């Protein structure tokens, strides 16, 4: 089955075969190369069988005790032994059930861990396009519910549904042998009617549960999106607007929840009616047999005990089935994520990139995010080993697209991109990205310590190496003055640090990575002029003797570049060093003059404010 790189949650769940999904899950219960877990499964199944055998034998002990006590001269010793046996059997049933659960918990948790890990790995393999199209809040809820559903299914398919079915078959056979076919027939028809009714109503009401899930995901997504953009909400005073959007989704969830509960009430009433009718019929037949002298009082009690013992788990089967259906829907949503084929994949014969000099070559590269809107058109340029090449141009010219292509977040439509003569589409993505260090415009930090964020450049690096990288990035002195120093938490997305501080952390992280190639993607465009000059000094020091590609907005930051490429409408319109491009009098000179005028105007404003 082919899948696009987009995750479409619409009707795909309805098309999946739930039983194939359960079969897939069963492979995690019998993992290869884990004989210890297989032994646990076998022992758990033995405990399950023993529990059902003892449970089915309990009513016979009860019957024997009642018949003994019904005699005119009851022998007290016999009822006592039967009652003792009855009590022991009850304890044994529970003991086997508890032992079964204890044996199986390691298997269940192992399966959940492996499935969670595989899903997490797969999400990291998916393309940037997928993650830009998806919203993190909704995605996290899909995974969260999917993992919870897998845990439920692993526990209940083997140890609730299967035991109930086994017990139903055993009781039906015993009623046929112990009494006659009428008892077995009524019991069987009651069970079939109960199961059919449960299945039909549950299939009808599952749409309400799906609507609840969709509204729940939508509400969670909107809440997270709003809170992540807290400052923007405050800037525009749009709190009420956010509240209204959130409330509208909650109203949809409220309506779906009411419909779901109403349909659940109908289901429960119907199940109770079916069970009641079956119970009346069987108890009437047994009572008539006692009156006619064919059965004893113990037989009447035996039938009653069997039916109560059967209908209790049968009633539970209805709950399990409803939860199973919901779990399968949630699990299918997550499996749809796993089914998404990564847009960017390594070829079967991909070899690691050997980055010796770090020379970069773009040759006749064309690319578009959408077929009707080309972004790059036959772009050709080179970054010689150890040199710095800057790419400038107006917004939308395709500057940042070049950095994404170099990282192979997207594959180009035509042309080639080479590093030291090796086409980046023929080498492994891991080795490619290990060879490139990036300082982006918007540095996003993990909600952890400064030390962790710097060390992220090379997780195995020592603490001394982390501090040396921080010194080179000119942030060590700042960190040393903090109360918790390198253990200081940076907050979500690094919000507790200023823009310049975040950029220095990003620089330190890149220094620690020690790549052959450096990529600065408008790394200082969001900073004030003073901070920008300090960051630029750090960047120049870092980029010595490394091939460096700079995506720039402020032309003043790249005047020292060995070559400047001017990109406009996806094409290279000029190239050369700063002095050469100014003498040419083309696009670059126009951009330079506009920025100089803007800077002069800004300086005049600052003087007037003083």
């Amino acid at each position: 089955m082919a899948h696009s790189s987009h995750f479409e949650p619409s009707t795909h769940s309805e098309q999946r075969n739930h039983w194939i999904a359960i079969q897939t899950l069963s492979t995690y219960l019998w993992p290869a190369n884990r004989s210890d877990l297989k032994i646990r499964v076998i022992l758990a199944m033995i405990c399950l069988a023993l529990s059902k055998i003892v449970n089915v034998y309990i009513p016979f002990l009860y019957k024997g005790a009642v018949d003994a006590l019904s005699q005119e001269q009851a022998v007290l010793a016999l009822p006592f032994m039967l009652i003792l046996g009855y009590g022991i059997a009850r304890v044994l049933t529970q003991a086997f059930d508890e032992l079964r659960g204890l044996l199986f918990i390691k298997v269940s948790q192992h399966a959940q861990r492996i499935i969670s890990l595989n899903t997490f790995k797969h999400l990291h393999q998916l393309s940037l396009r997928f993650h830009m199209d998806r919203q993190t809040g909704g995605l996290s809820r899909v995974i969260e519910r999917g993992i919870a559903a897998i845990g439920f299914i692993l526990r209940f398919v083997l140890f609730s549904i299967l035991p109930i079915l086994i017990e139903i078959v055993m009781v039906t056979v015993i009623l046929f042998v112990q009494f006659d076919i009428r008892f077995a027939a009524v019991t069987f028809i009651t069970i079939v009617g109960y199961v059919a009714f449960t299945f039909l109503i549950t299939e009808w009401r599952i749409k309400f549960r799906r609507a609840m899930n969709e509204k729940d995901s939508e509400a969670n997504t909107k809440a997270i999106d709003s809170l992540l953009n807290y400052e923007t909400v405050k800037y525009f005073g749009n709190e009420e607007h956010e509240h209204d959007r959130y409330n509208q989704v909650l109203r949809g969830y409220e309506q779906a929840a009411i419909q779901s509960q109403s349909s659940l009430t109908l289901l429960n009433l119907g199940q109770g009616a079916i069970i009641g009718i079956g119970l009346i019929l069987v108890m009437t037949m047994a009572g008539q047999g006692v009156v006619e002298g064919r059965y004893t009082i113990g037989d009447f009690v035996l039938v009653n005990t069997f039916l109560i013992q059967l209908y209790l788990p049968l009633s539970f089967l209805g709950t399990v089935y409803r939860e199973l259906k919901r779990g399968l829907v949630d699990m299918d949503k997550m499996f749809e994520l796993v089914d998404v084929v990564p847009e960017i994949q390594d070829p079967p014969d991909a070899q690691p990139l050997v980055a010796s000099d770090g020379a970069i070559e773009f040759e006749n590269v064309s690319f578009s995010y959408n077929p009707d809107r080309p972004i790059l058109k036959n772009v050709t340029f080179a970054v010689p080993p150890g040199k710095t090449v800057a790419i400038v141009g107006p917004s939308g010219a395709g500057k940042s697209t070049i950095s994404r292509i170099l990282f192979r977040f997207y594959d180009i439509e035509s042309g080639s991109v080479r590093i030291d003569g090796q086409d980046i589409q023929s080498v492994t993505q891991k080795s490619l990205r290990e060879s490139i260090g990036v300082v982006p415009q918007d540095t996003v930090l993990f909600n952890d310590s400064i030390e962790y964020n710097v060390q992220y450049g090379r997780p195995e690096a020592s603490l001394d190496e982390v501090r040396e990288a921080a010194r080179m990035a000119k942030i060590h002195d700042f960190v040393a003055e903090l109360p918790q120093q390198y253990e200081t938490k940076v907050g979500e997305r690094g919000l507790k640090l200023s823009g310049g501080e975040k950029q220095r952390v990003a620089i330190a992280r890149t220094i620690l990575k020690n790549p052959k190639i450096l990529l600065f993607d408008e790394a200082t465009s969001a900073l004030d002029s003073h901070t920008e000059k300090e960051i630029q000094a750090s960047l120049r020091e870092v980029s010595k003797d490394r091939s460096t590609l700079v995506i720039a907005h402020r032309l003043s930051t790249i005047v020292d570049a060995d070559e400047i490429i001017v990109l406009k409408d996806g094409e290279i319109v000029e190239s050369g060093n700063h002095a050469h491009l100014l003498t040419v009098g083309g696009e670059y000179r126009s951009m330079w003059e506009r920025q100089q005028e803007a800077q002069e105007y800004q300086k005049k404003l600052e003087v007037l404010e003083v």
Side-chain angles (χ1 to χ4, degrees):
M1 185 181 295
H3 299 274
S4 70
S5 62
H6 298 275
F7 171 51
E8 299 293 346
S10 54
T11 59
H12 188 56
S13 295
E14 300 169 7
Q15 300 168 357
R16 293 182 63 90
N17 188 321
H18 290 326
W19 299 112
I20 291 179
I22 292 175
Q23 186 179 9
T24 301
L25 274 181
S26 67
T27 60
Y28 290 94
L29 301 179
W30 198 257
N33 304 320
R34 288 300 302 268
S35 57
D36 60 323
L37 296 180
K38 293 179 182 180
I39 290 172
R40 283 177 172 270
V41 173
I42 293 170
L43 292 176
M45 297 304 292
I46 291 173
C47 288
L48 168 63
L50 291 173
S51 172
K52 290 297 114 184
I53 291 171
V54 174
N55 201 44
V56 169
Y57 187 66
I58 285 174
F60 286 102
L61 296 172
Y62 196 20
K63 162 186 158 55
V66 171
D67 282 340
L69 291 170
S70 299
Q71 296 175 7
E72 293 182 3
Q73 294 180 343
V75 182
L76 292 178
L78 183 60
F80 175 75
M81 294 304 295
L82 289 169
I83 291 169
L84 181 63
Y86 177 85
I88 292 173
R90 286 287 185 194
V91 173
L92 283 175
T93 300
Q94 184 175 2
F96 284 132
D97 284 341
E98 293 297 328
L99 182 58
R100 178 204 68 199
L102 185 63
L103 287 166
F104 192 71
I105 185 64
K106 189 169 184 178
V107 180
S108 174
Q109 290 299 317
H110 175 267
Q112 288 186 74
R113 179 175 65 83
I114 296 301
I115 294 170
S116 301
L117 180 61
N118 289 344
T119 304
F120 189 64
K121 285 181 178 178
H122 184 74
L123 288 175
H124 277 104
Q125 291 173 354
L126 296 179
S127 66
L128 179 63
R129 192 194 307 272
F130 172 88
H131 287 283
M132 291 181 71
D133 289 345
R134 288 292 298 158
Q135 290 175 300
T136 307
L139 190 65
S140 66
R141 292 304 290 270
V142 168
I143 298 171
E144 179 185 335
R145 285 199 301 260
I147 296 301
I150 286 172
F152 175 86
I153 292 168
L154 286 175
R155 290 192 305 272
F156 283 90
V157 168
L158 272 185
F159 297 132
S160 288
I161 295 178
L162 181 60
I164 290 171
L165 294 177
I166 291 173
E167 193 164 357
I168 288 170
V169 172
M170 292 175 70
V171 169
T172 304
V173 171
I174 289 171
L175 289 174
F176 173 72
V177 173
Q178 189 75 12
F179 298 95
D180 59 53
I181 194 171
R182 294 177 304 154
F183 288 84
V186 170
T187 303
F188 182 75
I189 290 171
T190 301
I191 292 169
V192 170
Y194 179 96
V195 172
F197 176 79
T198 300
F199 284 14
L200 287 172
I201 298 299
T202 302
E203 287 293 340
W204 166 67
R205 66 183 295 270
I206 199 70
K207 60 186 177 185
F208 302 128
R209 186 69 216 183
R210 184 176 292 115
M212 287 175 64
N213 282 352
E214 290 174 355
K215 292 298 181 182
D216 183 41
S217 290
E218 187 178 349
N220 191 61
T221 296
K222 279 184 166 50
I224 289 179
D225 195 35
S226 179
L227 293 174
L228 287 177
N229 291 281
Y230 172 84
E231 292 183 20
T232 304
V233 173
K234 289 293 184 182
Y235 289 153
F236 293 93
N238 278 341
E239 292 90 344
E240 288 301 322
H241 171 69
E242 292 297 323
H243 299 165
D244 290 341
R245 291 177 71 219
Y246 189 53
N247 188 43
Q248 186 176 356
V249 181
L250 291 180
R251 285 182 186 277
Y253 180 86
E254 178 185 10
Q255 183 178 359
I258 292 171
Q259 291 174 321
S260 178
Q261 185 60 44
S262 301
S263 61
L264 176 59
T265 302
L266 174 64
L267 178 58
N268 289 337
L269 288 174
Q271 289 172 334
I274 293 171
I275 289 176
I277 292 171
L279 194 60
I280 291 170
L281 290 174
V282 173
M283 294 302 295
T284 301
M285 290 188 295
Q288 186 65 34
V290 173
V291 171
E292 295 173 357
R294 290 183 289 112
Y295 304 136
T296 66
I297 297 296
D299 288 325
F300 182 82
V301 172
L302 177 67
V303 172
N304 180 69
T305 306
F306 265 137
L307 291 176
I308 296 300
Q309 195 165 286
L310 183 64
Y311 286 148
L312 283 176
L314 189 62
S315 175
F316 184 58
L317 175 64
T319 303
V320 170
Y321 178 75
R322 291 192 299 270
E323 293 299 316
L324 181 62
K325 287 295 295 183
R326 185 182 76 173
L328 285 169
V329 170
D330 292 340
M331 186 177 67
D332 280 342
K333 294 284 188 184
M334 190 183 72
F335 278 178
E336 285 176 22
L337 291 175
V338 179
D339 284 347
V340 175
V341 178
E343 179 183 348
I344 309 301
Q345 299 188 48
D346 292 340
D349 57 347
Q351 298 294 318
L353 174 69
V354 180
S356 53
D357 299 322
I360 305 171
E361 297 173 88
F362 274 62
E363 184 177 348
N364 296 323
V365 171
S366 294
F367 173 79
S368 62
Y369 295 105
N370 298 305
D372 56 345
R373 188 190 169 197
I375 301 297
L376 299 179
K377 309 166 191 174
N378 296 317
V379 170
T380 298
F381 69 90
V383 182
K387 300 296 184 179
T388 297
V389 172
I391 299 178
V392 301
S395 297
K399 303 187 299 296
S400 292
T401 299
I402 287 178
S403 67
R404 290 172 175 175
I405 288 173
L406 184 61
F407 258 88
R408 211 179 158 214
F409 286 154
Y410 297 93
D411 276 342
I412 58 178
E413 294 163 5
S414 62
S416 65
V417 180
R418 296 184 296 275
I419 294 178
D420 287 337
Q422 302 154 80
D423 194 312
I424 63 171
Q425 291 186 210
S426 67
V427 300
T428 62
Q429 297 173 66
K430 180 178 175 60
S431 64
L432 170 67
R433 291 164 189 161
E434 284 176 346
S435 302
I436 305 172
V438 62
V439 180
Q441 175 183 4
D442 181 20
T443 298
V444 178
L445 303 181
F446 292 94
N447 190 4
D448 209 304
S449 65
I450 292 176
E451 180 181 294
Y452 176 83
N453 277 282
V454 174
Q455 196 174 37
Y456 201 80
R458 185 157 48 88
E460 70 277 9
S462 67
L463 299 184
D464 288 338
E465 290 175 311
V466 169
R467 283 154 177 72
E468 181 59 30
R471 287 189 184 92
M472 292 181 66
K474 303 296 190 293
I475 195 175
H476 174 76
D477 293 341
F478 161 75
V479 176
E481 292 174 358
L482 297 173
Q484 293 179 290
Q485 298 188 349
Y486 281 89
E487 293 302 316
T488 302
K489 301 293 183 181
V490 302
E492 190 166 358
R493 298 173 65 87
L495 291 177
K496 292 183 179 179
L497 300 181
S498 69
E501 290 158 0
K502 285 200 297 183
Q503 289 298 78
R504 290 188 187 281
V505 170
I507 293 169
R509 189 161 60 187
T510 302
I511 291 171
L512 192 64
K513 184 178 181 181
N514 194 27
K516 279 288 182 181
I517 297 169
L518 288 175
L519 173 60
F520 303 141
D521 189 354
E522 302 201 49
T524 62
S525 63
L527 305 177
D528 60 77
S529 57
H530 176 70
T531 305
E532 180 188 42
K533 290 177 180 177
E534 292 182 341
I535 296 294
Q536 281 297 321
S538 297
L539 294 179
R540 277 195 295 271
E541 186 174 345
V542 172
S543 59
K544 284 179 181 177
D545 302 322
R546 285 188 173 96
S547 303
T548 305
L549 185 62
V550 182
I551 311 295
H553 173 71
R554 294 181 182 173
L555 303 185
S556 58
T557 63
I558 48 92
V559 293
D560 295 329
D562 296 296
E563 184 178 13
I564 299 171
I565 294 170
V566 183
L567 204 62
K568 184 177 182 182
D569 296 329
E571 296 179 296
I572 295 177
V573 293
E574 293 174 353
S575 64
N577 60 28
H578 174 70
H580 170 73
L581 290 174
L582 286 181
T583 59
V584 169
E587 185 71 25
Y588 181 83
R589 180 170 176 175
S590 298
M591 293 171 60
W592 176 263
E593 290 174 349
R594 284 196 301 271
Q595 289 192 12
Q596 291 299 308
E597 289 173 4
Q599 288 179 11
E600 289 298 325
Y601 180 70
Q602 185 63 35
K603 288 178 181 178
K604 290 179 181 178
L605 286 179
E606 291 174 358
V607 171
L608 290 174
E609 288 176 359
V610 173

